[in-house]
Amino acid sequence: EDQVTQSPEALRLQEGESSSLNCSYTVSGLRGLFWYRQDPGKGPEFLFTLYSAGEEKEKERLKATLTKKESFLHITAPKPEDSATYLCAVQADGSEKLVFGKGTKLTVNP
Amino acid sequence: DADVTQTPRNRITKTGKRIMLECSQTKGHDRMYWYRQDPGLGLRLIYYSFDVKDINKGEISDGYSVSRQAQAKFSLSLESAIPNQTALYFCATSGSYEQYFGPGTRLTVT
């Protein structure tokens, strides 16, 4: 069974304090790994897709990396507006289903 | 205008009532999905559709039905609502790999 585990469940940072969020996964053939940002009461907002081990993608203060067992979302010099829940999901080859982790709730204090 | 819209945004209904949630998209995508999100459980797939003639069950389809009225419209129905269907419901669309989510419908069944 495909599974996604995100850690930590919650993370508090001071503005400017860089850190990383972890997404460990097991999947029967990876079609893609996805990172989303979700603000309270809103739908998940697509951030990145990673397809193969070694791949990296960046957007502003965020950088996502992928190995064969896990993905990291690195946040460099975060700002309060980066506060949100970050969701990781995997999609297996031949499947339409995204298997989501439970998310990491990030709070960045000014 | 938002690419994926959902109506209603909030709904309170009573046990046993029939309710329909609607989703429309302007992204021109063929694939559409319905998910529910529960605290501590993450997002789970209810139904998905490749086109108006192709409807598929997800992992938690019991108690739900769907209708794909057009490429741009995908509705989710609860034939006889029960309290454990209280959740946040999201519609999503996809043209290839990434799925793009709507703003959600908060449904409460009393």
Side-chain angles (χ1 to χ4, degrees):
Chain A
E1 182 181 341
D2 302 333
Q3 284 191 318
V4 175
T5 303
Q6 292 187 246
S7 62
E9 291 184 9
L11 181 63
R12 284 187 176 272
L13 300 173
Q14 289 299 122
E15 184 172 2
E17 179 186 3
S18 301
S19 188
S20 297
L21 313 182
N22 178 264
C23 171
S24 297
Y25 66 92
T26 56
V27 65
S28 53
L30 181 68
R31 184 183 188 193
L33 184 141
F34 306 87
W35 281 99
Y36 288 85
R37 169 193 170 125
Q38 186 174 24
D39 293 297
K42 296 189 176 182
E45 175 189 348
F46 171 73
L47 293 174
F48 304 109
T49 307
L50 300 168
Y51 297 104
S52 58
E55 190 174 2
E56 299 182 352
K57 288 195 176 172
E58 290 188 62
K59 179 181 180 180
E60 297 180 353
R61 295 177 293 282
L62 301 177
K63 179 180 177 179
T65 62
L66 181 65
T67 72
K68 289 186 177 180
K69 294 184 178 180
E70 57 191 351
S71 177
F72 291 94
L73 185 66
H74 306 278
I75 303 177
T76 302
K79 299 181 177 182
E81 53 261 42
D82 295 322
S83 297
T85 295
Y86 290 85
L87 302 173
C88 173
V90 296
Q91 188 174 35
D93 284 332
S95 173
E96 283 298 314
K97 184 175 73 172
L98 289 182
V99 177
F100 281 87
K102 295 179 181 179
T104 294
K105 183 177 180 180
L106 175 66
T107 303
V108 182
N109 296 313
Chain B
D1 289 339
D3 294 324
V4 184
T5 58
Q6 293 184 235
T7 56
R9 294 296 314 279
N10 289 281
R11 180 74 182 265
I12 300 174
T13 191
K14 293 184 183 296
T15 297
K17 293 292 187 181
R18 184 179 188 274
I19 184 169
M20 179 182 287
L21 309 183
E22 298 185 331
C23 176
S24 294
Q25 54 112 349
T26 58
K27 297 182 79 69
H29 290 165
D30 288 326
R31 293 174 165 87
M32 297 187 74
Y33 309 80
W34 276 104
Y35 289 85
R36 66 177 279 176
Q37 186 175 39
D38 299 274
L41 292 178
L43 282 149
R44 292 179 292 165
L45 182 64
I46 306 172
Y47 270 96
Y48 62 99
S49 168
F50 291 126
D51 62 41
V52 294
K53 296 180 181 179
D54 190 348
I55 305 288
N56 302 275
K57 292 183 178 180
E59 60 184 308
I60 54 164
S61 58
D62 288 348
Y64 301 95
S65 63
V66 292
S67 173
R68 185 81 182 266
Q69 300 95 329
Q71 185 205 33
K73 296 184 182 295
F74 194 33
S75 300
L76 176 72
S77 293
L78 287 66
E79 297 301 326
S80 180
I82 55 177
N84 76 359
Q85 290 177 314
T86 292
L88 200 51
Y89 289 85
F90 290 103
C91 174
T93 73
S94 178
S96 56
Y97 292 104
E98 298 85 11
Q99 293 184 19
Y100 296 90
F101 287 78
T105 294
R106 184 171 295 280
L107 177 65
T108 303
V109 184
T110 62

